[in-house]
Structure formats: C-alpha cells, structure tokens
Amino acid sequence: MAIITSNEDLAGYVKEIIKDSGMKKSALAESIGLSRQGLNNLLNKKSFSIDDAKKILQPLSLSIEMDLSLYSLCPEVFQPHNIQKILKKEK
C-alpha cells in the first residue's frame, strides 16, 4: 500500500509502476491512444487525477483504489482535483 498525499505523489507512483512494469512508454502510450509525448504530458500535468492513473494502469492490468472509509473525516479530499488519500496497489 502506498500513501499518496498529493497529485504529484500519485503521478510519481504511477511513473514508478510504469518503470517497474518493463513496458516501454511508447507502447503504453499507444495502448491508451496517446503519443509518447502525450503520455508524458499527462503524467506531468499539475491536476493529475485518479482517472488519469486508472487510464494509464489499465493496460498493465493494474488498478488503484481509494479508501473511502476516511471520507467522513475529510470529505474535501475527495474532490476531483484534490487527491490526498490513501491508495492501494497489490504488489
């Protein structure tokens, strides 16, 4: 499990997963309908979201989950452009 506290953390985590997967970025980009530069732009955008992560991870047969049990503690965290939540990934 990884603890993600910002959009940048989420993008960094996805970049790490891509690197560990061994799949070339150009092949991954093509599988989601982007150019390699388009994938890099997506990974580096300031408002990188869970939907972006899911789109990128899907061809790698991986997914992420939010722990919604913490919603009542801090509901503003669940706004689309304010990702500060615990994400889970099976290793």
mmCIF file of all heavy atoms in Angstrom, residues 11-48:
data_model
loop_
_atom_site.group_PDB
_atom_site.id
_atom_site.type_symbol
_atom_site.label_atom_id
_atom_site.label_comp_id
_atom_site.label_asym_id
_atom_site.label_seq_id
_atom_site.Cartn_x
_atom_site.Cartn_y
_atom_site.Cartn_z
ATOM 1 N N ALA A 11 1.110 10.868 -9.428
ATOM 2 C CA ALA A 11 1.791 10.775 -10.722
ATOM 3 C C ALA A 11 3.146 10.083 -10.562
ATOM 4 O O ALA A 11 3.514 9.233 -11.380
ATOM 5 C CB ALA A 11 1.967 12.165 -11.330
ATOM 6 N N GLY A 12 3.876 10.408 -9.509
ATOM 7 C CA GLY A 12 5.170 9.762 -9.260
ATOM 8 C C GLY A 12 5.025 8.275 -9.022
ATOM 9 O O GLY A 12 5.834 7.473 -9.488
ATOM 10 N N TYR A 13 3.988 7.896 -8.297
ATOM 11 C CA TYR A 13 3.717 6.492 -8.024
ATOM 12 C C TYR A 13 3.408 5.745 -9.319
ATOM 13 O O TYR A 13 3.917 4.654 -9.565
ATOM 14 C CB TYR A 13 2.560 6.397 -7.035
ATOM 15 C CG TYR A 13 2.270 5.014 -6.523
ATOM 16 C CD1 TYR A 13 3.228 4.284 -5.817
ATOM 17 C CD2 TYR A 13 1.030 4.438 -6.715
ATOM 18 C CE1 TYR A 13 2.955 3.023 -5.326
ATOM 19 C CE2 TYR A 13 0.740 3.175 -6.222
ATOM 20 C CZ TYR A 13 1.704 2.472 -5.536
ATOM 21 O OH TYR A 13 1.426 1.222 -5.056
ATOM 22 N N VAL A 14 2.605 6.361 -10.182
ATOM 23 C CA VAL A 14 2.276 5.743 -11.469
ATOM 24 C C VAL A 14 3.528 5.633 -12.330
ATOM 25 O O VAL A 14 3.753 4.603 -12.983
ATOM 26 C CB VAL A 14 1.149 6.518 -12.184
ATOM 27 C CG1 VAL A 14 0.960 6.035 -13.617
ATOM 28 C CG2 VAL A 14 -0.151 6.398 -11.399
ATOM 29 N N LYS A 15 4.369 6.654 -12.330
ATOM 30 C CA LYS A 15 5.634 6.591 -13.085
ATOM 31 C C LYS A 15 6.494 5.428 -12.601
ATOM 32 O O LYS A 15 7.106 4.715 -13.401
ATOM 33 C CB LYS A 15 6.410 7.903 -12.940
ATOM 34 C CG LYS A 15 5.799 9.069 -13.674
ATOM 35 C CD LYS A 15 6.568 10.356 -13.371
ATOM 36 C CE LYS A 15 5.885 11.563 -13.935
ATOM 37 N NZ LYS A 15 6.574 12.822 -13.604
ATOM 38 N N GLU A 16 6.547 5.226 -11.298
ATOM 39 C CA GLU A 16 7.316 4.126 -10.716
ATOM 40 C C GLU A 16 6.748 2.774 -11.168
ATOM 41 O O GLU A 16 7.496 1.857 -11.515
ATOM 42 C CB GLU A 16 7.274 4.228 -9.198
ATOM 43 C CG GLU A 16 8.087 3.190 -8.467
ATOM 44 C CD GLU A 16 7.981 3.358 -6.963
ATOM 45 O OE1 GLU A 16 8.040 4.499 -6.470
ATOM 46 O OE2 GLU A 16 7.845 2.327 -6.290
ATOM 47 N N ILE A 17 5.437 2.665 -11.187
ATOM 48 C CA ILE A 17 4.787 1.429 -11.628
ATOM 49 C C ILE A 17 5.112 1.154 -13.090
ATOM 50 O O ILE A 17 5.412 0.018 -13.472
ATOM 51 C CB ILE A 17 3.264 1.510 -11.409
ATOM 52 C CG1 ILE A 17 2.951 1.511 -9.918
ATOM 53 C CG2 ILE A 17 2.556 0.343 -12.101
ATOM 54 C CD1 ILE A 17 1.510 1.846 -9.585
ATOM 55 N N ILE A 18 5.066 2.200 -13.924
ATOM 56 C CA ILE A 18 5.389 2.040 -15.342
ATOM 57 C C ILE A 18 6.815 1.529 -15.488
ATOM 58 O O ILE A 18 7.078 0.579 -16.231
ATOM 59 C CB ILE A 18 5.206 3.363 -16.114
ATOM 60 C CG1 ILE A 18 3.731 3.761 -16.145
ATOM 61 C CG2 ILE A 18 5.776 3.259 -17.521
ATOM 62 C CD1 ILE A 18 3.476 5.181 -16.626
ATOM 63 N N LYS A 19 7.735 2.140 -14.774
ATOM 64 C CA LYS A 19 9.140 1.736 -14.844
ATOM 65 C C LYS A 19 9.302 0.281 -14.411
ATOM 66 O O LYS A 19 9.979 -0.507 -15.081
ATOM 67 C CB LYS A 19 9.988 2.646 -13.953
ATOM 68 C CG LYS A 19 11.452 2.360 -14.000
ATOM 69 C CD LYS A 19 12.224 3.330 -13.117
ATOM 70 C CE LYS A 19 13.691 2.973 -13.090
ATOM 71 N NZ LYS A 19 14.435 3.839 -12.181
ATOM 72 N N ASP A 20 8.669 -0.096 -13.305
ATOM 73 C CA ASP A 20 8.771 -1.463 -12.791
ATOM 74 C C ASP A 20 8.115 -2.490 -13.704
ATOM 75 O O ASP A 20 8.479 -3.663 -13.682
ATOM 76 C CB ASP A 20 8.149 -1.566 -11.391
ATOM 77 C CG ASP A 20 8.948 -0.819 -10.331
ATOM 78 O OD1 ASP A 20 10.101 -0.424 -10.609
ATOM 79 O OD2 ASP A 20 8.404 -0.618 -9.226
ATOM 80 N N SER A 21 7.140 -2.046 -14.500
ATOM 81 C CA SER A 21 6.420 -2.985 -15.373
ATOM 82 C C SER A 21 7.286 -3.488 -16.522
ATOM 83 O O SER A 21 7.032 -4.557 -17.064
ATOM 84 C CB SER A 21 5.169 -2.315 -15.955
ATOM 85 O OG SER A 21 5.509 -1.428 -17.014
ATOM 86 N N GLY A 22 8.277 -2.700 -16.909
ATOM 87 C CA GLY A 22 9.132 -3.079 -18.032
ATOM 88 C C GLY A 22 8.533 -2.730 -19.389
ATOM 89 O O GLY A 22 9.166 -2.917 -20.416
ATOM 90 N N MET A 23 7.312 -2.220 -19.396
ATOM 91 C CA MET A 23 6.671 -1.833 -20.654
ATOM 92 C C MET A 23 7.227 -0.492 -21.101
ATOM 93 O O MET A 23 7.366 0.429 -20.299
ATOM 94 C CB MET A 23 5.155 -1.747 -20.471
ATOM 95 C CG MET A 23 4.381 -1.501 -21.737
ATOM 96 S SD MET A 23 2.587 -1.539 -21.390
ATOM 97 C CE MET A 23 1.960 -1.870 -23.014
ATOM 98 N N LYS A 24 7.551 -0.397 -22.381
ATOM 99 C CA LYS A 24 8.057 0.871 -22.904
ATOM 100 C C LYS A 24 6.943 1.906 -22.911
ATOM 101 O O LYS A 24 5.789 1.595 -23.192
ATOM 102 C CB LYS A 24 8.609 0.680 -24.316
ATOM 103 C CG LYS A 24 9.848 -0.172 -24.342
ATOM 104 C CD LYS A 24 10.455 -0.186 -25.713
ATOM 105 C CE LYS A 24 11.724 -1.024 -25.661
ATOM 106 N NZ LYS A 24 12.670 -0.631 -26.664
ATOM 107 N N LYS A 25 7.326 3.139 -22.595
ATOM 108 C CA LYS A 25 6.334 4.212 -22.553
ATOM 109 C C LYS A 25 5.639 4.389 -23.898
ATOM 110 O O LYS A 25 4.448 4.684 -23.943
ATOM 111 C CB LYS A 25 6.972 5.530 -22.120
ATOM 112 C CG LYS A 25 7.133 5.676 -20.630
ATOM 113 C CD LYS A 25 7.564 7.094 -20.304
ATOM 114 C CE LYS A 25 7.626 7.309 -18.811
ATOM 115 N NZ LYS A 25 8.063 8.689 -18.505
ATOM 116 N N SER A 26 6.359 4.206 -24.986
ATOM 117 C CA SER A 26 5.744 4.373 -26.306
ATOM 118 C C SER A 26 4.655 3.326 -26.532
ATOM 119 O O SER A 26 3.589 3.638 -27.075
ATOM 120 C CB SER A 26 6.799 4.312 -27.412
ATOM 121 O OG SER A 26 7.541 3.109 -27.325
ATOM 122 N N ALA A 27 4.895 2.089 -26.109
ATOM 123 C CA ALA A 27 3.888 1.029 -26.259
ATOM 124 C C ALA A 27 2.696 1.283 -25.342
ATOM 125 O O ALA A 27 1.537 1.091 -25.737
ATOM 126 C CB ALA A 27 4.508 -0.331 -25.956
ATOM 127 N N LEU A 28 2.968 1.718 -24.124
ATOM 128 C CA LEU A 28 1.894 2.034 -23.184
ATOM 129 C C LEU A 28 1.051 3.190 -23.709
ATOM 130 O O LEU A 28 -0.178 3.131 -23.706
ATOM 131 C CB LEU A 28 2.467 2.371 -21.806
ATOM 132 C CG LEU A 28 1.464 2.771 -20.734
ATOM 133 C CD1 LEU A 28 0.436 1.671 -20.492
ATOM 134 C CD2 LEU A 28 2.180 3.125 -19.439
ATOM 135 N N ALA A 29 1.727 4.222 -24.192
ATOM 136 C CA ALA A 29 1.017 5.387 -24.733
ATOM 137 C C ALA A 29 0.112 4.967 -25.891
ATOM 138 O O ALA A 29 -1.064 5.361 -25.941
ATOM 139 C CB ALA A 29 2.014 6.441 -25.201
ATOM 140 N N GLU A 30 0.632 4.167 -26.782
ATOM 141 C CA GLU A 30 -0.158 3.707 -27.929
ATOM 142 C C GLU A 30 -1.378 2.910 -27.475
ATOM 143 O O GLU A 30 -2.469 3.060 -28.036
ATOM 144 C CB GLU A 30 0.711 2.855 -28.849
ATOM 145 C CG GLU A 30 0.010 2.441 -30.125
ATOM 146 C CD GLU A 30 0.909 1.644 -31.050
ATOM 147 O OE1 GLU A 30 2.109 1.945 -31.126
ATOM 148 O OE2 GLU A 30 0.393 0.713 -31.687
ATOM 149 N N SER A 31 -1.211 2.099 -26.434
ATOM 150 C CA SER A 31 -2.323 1.266 -25.965
ATOM 151 C C SER A 31 -3.471 2.086 -25.362
ATOM 152 O O SER A 31 -4.585 1.595 -25.263
ATOM 153 C CB SER A 31 -1.829 0.227 -24.952
ATOM 154 O OG SER A 31 -1.498 0.831 -23.724
ATOM 155 N N ILE A 32 -3.189 3.328 -24.967
ATOM 156 C CA ILE A 32 -4.256 4.185 -24.426
ATOM 157 C C ILE A 32 -4.590 5.338 -25.378
ATOM 158 O O ILE A 32 -5.273 6.285 -25.002
ATOM 159 C CB ILE A 32 -3.920 4.712 -23.011
ATOM 160 C CG1 ILE A 32 -2.625 5.525 -22.977
ATOM 161 C CG2 ILE A 32 -3.854 3.563 -22.024
ATOM 162 C CD1 ILE A 32 -2.347 6.192 -21.638
ATOM 163 N N GLY A 33 -4.114 5.230 -26.604
ATOM 164 C CA GLY A 33 -4.478 6.207 -27.629
ATOM 165 C C GLY A 33 -3.742 7.523 -27.564
ATOM 166 O O GLY A 33 -4.256 8.546 -28.013
ATOM 167 N N LEU A 34 -2.533 7.509 -27.013
ATOM 168 C CA LEU A 34 -1.729 8.728 -26.918
ATOM 169 C C LEU A 34 -0.373 8.522 -27.584
ATOM 170 O O LEU A 34 0.078 7.396 -27.754
ATOM 171 C CB LEU A 34 -1.480 9.101 -25.449
ATOM 172 C CG LEU A 34 -2.681 9.471 -24.592
ATOM 173 C CD1 LEU A 34 -2.251 9.657 -23.144
ATOM 174 C CD2 LEU A 34 -3.351 10.726 -25.108
ATOM 175 N N SER A 35 0.276 9.624 -27.908
ATOM 176 C CA SER A 35 1.678 9.557 -28.317
ATOM 177 C C SER A 35 2.521 9.461 -27.051
ATOM 178 O O SER A 35 2.024 9.669 -25.935
ATOM 179 C CB SER A 35 2.059 10.825 -29.090
ATOM 180 O OG SER A 35 1.994 11.960 -28.223
ATOM 181 N N ARG A 36 3.805 9.157 -27.207
ATOM 182 C CA ARG A 36 4.688 9.106 -26.035
ATOM 183 C C ARG A 36 4.712 10.475 -25.344
ATOM 184 O O ARG A 36 4.682 10.566 -24.113
ATOM 185 C CB ARG A 36 6.100 8.673 -26.445
ATOM 186 C CG ARG A 36 7.012 8.399 -25.267
ATOM 187 C CD ARG A 36 8.386 7.900 -25.749
ATOM 188 N NE ARG A 36 9.206 7.335 -24.710
ATOM 189 C CZ ARG A 36 9.736 7.974 -23.690
ATOM 190 N NH1 ARG A 36 9.484 9.248 -23.514
ATOM 191 N NH2 ARG A 36 10.498 7.371 -22.804
ATOM 192 N N GLN A 37 4.765 11.536 -26.147
ATOM 193 C CA GLN A 37 4.763 12.893 -25.580
ATOM 194 C C GLN A 37 3.435 13.173 -24.873
ATOM 195 O O GLN A 37 3.411 13.802 -23.817
ATOM 196 C CB GLN A 37 5.011 13.942 -26.670
ATOM 197 C CG GLN A 37 5.100 15.361 -26.137
ATOM 198 C CD GLN A 37 6.223 15.549 -25.130
ATOM 199 O OE1 GLN A 37 7.333 15.096 -25.348
ATOM 200 N NE2 GLN A 37 5.931 16.195 -24.018
ATOM 201 N N GLY A 38 2.342 12.690 -25.436
ATOM 202 C CA GLY A 38 1.034 12.860 -24.796
ATOM 203 C C GLY A 38 0.979 12.174 -23.436
ATOM 204 O O GLY A 38 0.427 12.713 -22.475
ATOM 205 N N LEU A 39 1.567 10.970 -23.351
ATOM 206 C CA LEU A 39 1.637 10.262 -22.069
ATOM 207 C C LEU A 39 2.480 11.050 -21.081
ATOM 208 O O LEU A 39 2.090 11.218 -19.916
ATOM 209 C CB LEU A 39 2.203 8.851 -22.260
ATOM 210 C CG LEU A 39 2.438 8.044 -20.984
ATOM 211 C CD1 LEU A 39 1.144 7.834 -20.198
ATOM 212 C CD2 LEU A 39 3.089 6.705 -21.321
ATOM 213 N N ASN A 40 3.620 11.550 -21.523
ATOM 214 C CA ASN A 40 4.472 12.358 -20.627
ATOM 215 C C ASN A 40 3.740 13.613 -20.155
ATOM 216 O O ASN A 40 3.839 13.983 -18.989
ATOM 217 C CB ASN A 40 5.784 12.727 -21.322
ATOM 218 C CG ASN A 40 6.747 11.565 -21.358
ATOM 219 O OD1 ASN A 40 6.706 10.679 -20.513
ATOM 220 N ND2 ASN A 40 7.611 11.548 -22.360
ATOM 221 N N ASN A 41 3.006 14.247 -21.061
ATOM 222 C CA ASN A 41 2.236 15.442 -20.676
ATOM 223 C C ASN A 41 1.183 15.085 -19.631
ATOM 224 O O ASN A 41 0.981 15.831 -18.671
ATOM 225 C CB ASN A 41 1.569 16.073 -21.893
ATOM 226 C CG ASN A 41 2.556 16.740 -22.828
ATOM 227 O OD1 ASN A 41 3.690 17.020 -22.474
ATOM 228 N ND2 ASN A 41 2.126 16.982 -24.055
ATOM 229 N N LEU A 42 0.520 13.949 -19.826
ATOM 230 C CA LEU A 42 -0.494 13.505 -18.875
ATOM 231 C C LEU A 42 0.135 13.242 -17.506
ATOM 232 O O LEU A 42 -0.386 13.675 -16.474
ATOM 233 C CB LEU A 42 -1.171 12.237 -19.405
ATOM 234 C CG LEU A 42 -2.310 11.647 -18.572
ATOM 235 C CD1 LEU A 42 -3.458 12.643 -18.436
ATOM 236 C CD2 LEU A 42 -2.803 10.356 -19.213
ATOM 237 N N LEU A 43 1.270 12.549 -17.490
ATOM 238 C CA LEU A 43 1.945 12.232 -16.226
ATOM 239 C C LEU A 43 2.470 13.474 -15.509
ATOM 240 O O LEU A 43 2.613 13.466 -14.286
ATOM 241 C CB LEU A 43 3.110 11.265 -16.477
ATOM 242 C CG LEU A 43 2.718 9.831 -16.785
ATOM 243 C CD1 LEU A 43 3.901 9.061 -17.355
ATOM 244 C CD2 LEU A 43 2.181 9.148 -15.530
ATOM 245 N N ASN A 44 2.742 14.520 -16.257
ATOM 246 C CA ASN A 44 3.329 15.722 -15.664
ATOM 247 C C ASN A 44 2.334 16.845 -15.423
ATOM 248 O O ASN A 44 2.719 17.905 -14.931
ATOM 249 C CB ASN A 44 4.479 16.229 -16.538
ATOM 250 C CG ASN A 44 5.652 15.270 -16.513
ATOM 251 O OD1 ASN A 44 6.022 14.758 -15.462
ATOM 252 N ND2 ASN A 44 6.222 14.995 -17.673
ATOM 253 N N LYS A 45 1.055 16.601 -15.726
ATOM 254 C CA LYS A 45 0.089 17.689 -15.529
ATOM 255 C C LYS A 45 -0.157 17.914 -14.035
ATOM 256 O O LYS A 45 -0.140 16.982 -13.234
ATOM 257 C CB LYS A 45 -1.202 17.442 -16.304
ATOM 258 C CG LYS A 45 -2.171 16.485 -15.709
ATOM 259 C CD LYS A 45 -3.438 16.409 -16.580
ATOM 260 C CE LYS A 45 -4.526 15.664 -15.859
ATOM 261 N NZ LYS A 45 -5.753 15.610 -16.634
ATOM 262 N N LYS A 46 -0.363 19.144 -13.685
ATOM 263 C CA LYS A 46 -0.494 19.535 -12.283
ATOM 264 C C LYS A 46 -1.718 18.912 -11.618
ATOM 265 O O LYS A 46 -1.706 18.591 -10.439
ATOM 266 C CB LYS A 46 -0.546 21.057 -12.180
ATOM 267 C CG LYS A 46 -0.410 21.561 -10.783
ATOM 268 C CD LYS A 46 -0.188 23.044 -10.747
ATOM 269 C CE LYS A 46 0.187 23.445 -9.343
ATOM 270 N NZ LYS A 46 1.134 24.503 -9.274
ATOM 271 N N SER A 47 -2.781 18.722 -12.390
ATOM 272 C CA SER A 47 -4.022 18.190 -11.830
ATOM 273 C C SER A 47 -4.182 16.693 -12.132
ATOM 274 O O SER A 47 -5.293 16.214 -12.328
ATOM 275 C CB SER A 47 -5.215 18.968 -12.375
ATOM 276 O OG SER A 47 -5.268 18.853 -13.782
ATOM 277 N N PHE A 48 -3.077 15.945 -12.149
ATOM 278 C CA PHE A 48 -3.117 14.500 -12.396
ATOM 279 C C PHE A 48 -4.124 13.864 -11.438
ATOM 280 O O PHE A 48 -4.097 14.124 -10.235
ATOM 281 C CB PHE A 48 -1.728 13.896 -12.173
ATOM 282 C CG PHE A 48 -1.615 12.464 -12.611
ATOM 283 C CD1 PHE A 48 -1.391 12.151 -13.942
ATOM 284 C CD2 PHE A 48 -1.741 11.432 -11.694
ATOM 285 C CE1 PHE A 48 -1.282 10.829 -14.345
ATOM 286 C CE2 PHE A 48 -1.638 10.107 -12.089
ATOM 287 C CZ PHE A 48 -1.412 9.809 -13.420
#
